Amino acid sequence: MRRPVIAGNWKMYKTQAEARAYFSALAPLVKESTHCEIIVAPPFTAIAASIEAARGTAISIAAQNVHWEKEGPCTGDVSTGMLVEAGCRAVIIAHSERRQFCGETDETANKRVRASLAAGLTPILCVGEMLFERESGRTEQVLERQFHGGVAALTGAEFSRIILAYEPVWAIGTGRTATPEMAAEAHRFLRQLASANFTPERAAGLRILYGGSVKPDNIKGLMAQVEIDGALVGGASLNAEAFASIVNF
């Protein structure tokens, strides 16, 4: 049985003080939520404050990105070692905004995945098509390319430690959401790729999250699909009460 994951991505929101207040509000709302794994990804500047504020709870802290080099002249980046030292347990990789606006490629995504695994972090690898790609019938082609590029050269044991997040780009921050059936179809295809490239057993254990305008009023429909193992939540994760409602689907 795959344990669901509900992950919140704060993007470029919240100061350290706001992060502390958020976890003070969230913690009591999810203290009995043992049915799923809870992850929150604050901005880099609020990671330390978030880890301290979430101490003693079941909430894990993730980063929103990481560089693949252990150290070096990489202005503006952070390494896996820095994240581990801070107390992070996971990292989001190749979010569509990074692909769209920051030059992320399948090759760099793969480097980040491999570096994260080597450091003991859980990579949450994002894949998903843009609107014109879906409308032109290229969804599976895009997902296959991103899947192969992102997990290239991983061993079966390494692959078993990653989480995938299917995020149709046209549904992120737009208010548009893929129907539960549309999302499940994409998740099913990704699991087929995992089975073909690794083993059916590895594929059966792979957790695939859905991301794209997830809210308290649509989480139940999404989670009713057996292929959907959780959610990567953007805007709705910024409010503790709303995020708790999603966690407690």
Side-chain angles (χ1 to χ4, degrees):
M1 178 67 72
R2 298 185 297 269
R3 189 182 184 206
V5 178
I6 303 295
N9 175 17
W10 287 358
K11 307 188 181 185
M12 198 173 68
Y13 293 96
K14 295 195 183 298
T15 63
Q16 295 180 51
E18 290 169 335
R20 294 187 189 99
Y22 177 95
F23 286 106
S24 292
L26 178 65
L29 299 176
V30 299
K31 65 179 180 180
E32 306 295 335
S33 307
T34 58
H35 62 286
C36 69
E37 185 175 346
I38 308 168
I39 300 174
V40 174
F44 288 133
T45 54
I47 284 176
S50 297
I51 287 169
E52 181 60 34
R55 197 178 307 280
T57 74
I59 304 165
S60 298
I61 303 301
Q64 297 177 18
N65 191 33
V66 70
H67 201 278
W68 54 87
E69 294 290 351
K70 291 184 178 179
E71 59 183 10
C74 305
T75 302
D77 279 309
V78 299
S79 70
T80 55
M82 294 170 182
L83 296 183
V84 170
E85 181 187 42
C88 285
R89 295 177 58 186
V91 57
I92 298 171
I93 292 174
H95 187 279
S96 67
E97 292 160 359
R98 303 295 307 178
R99 291 182 186 267
Q100 232 178 323
F101 307 120
C102 303
E104 186 79 270
T105 66
D106 295 331
E107 180 183 5
T108 56
N110 179 250
K111 289 181 179 181
R112 298 183 209 280
V113 166
R114 289 159 57 196
S116 298
L117 288 168
L121 293 164
T122 298
I124 303 173
L125 174 64
C126 300
V127 297
E129 80 283 6
M130 300 184 75
L131 181 59
F132 77 91
E133 292 168 330
R134 171 164 283 274
E135 291 181 338
S136 61
R138 295 166 54 196
T139 295
E140 291 189 354
Q141 179 183 341
V142 172
L143 294 181
E144 185 168 10
R145 187 199 76 230
Q146 293 175 341
F147 177 87
H148 284 303
V151 304
L154 294 189
T155 65
E158 288 172 332
F159 181 75
S160 69
R161 293 167 50 204
I162 77 167
I163 296 172
L164 281 187
Y166 168 61
E167 293 198 313
V169 181
W170 48 270
I172 298 173
T174 64
R176 300 177 62 179
T177 310
T179 66
E181 293 75 20
M182 290 166 64
E185 182 180 7
H187 285 219
R188 194 172 300 112
F189 178 70
L190 288 166
R191 206 173 300 283
Q192 289 169 356
L193 291 175
S195 180
N197 286 272
F198 294 93
T199 66
E201 291 74 23
R202 300 285 189 199
L206 173 66
R207 293 183 290 181
I208 309 176
L209 316 184
Y210 171 76
S213 297
V214 176
K215 298 179 175 63
D217 60 4
N218 62 26
I219 185 63
K220 287 186 179 179
L222 290 165
M223 292 305 297
Q225 300 291 321
V226 296
E227 287 293 344
I228 298 179
D229 303 310
L232 180 55
V233 187
S237 72
L238 297 174
N239 178 278
E241 289 74 20
F243 188 58
S245 293
I246 294 171
V247 168
N248 295 320
F249 61 88

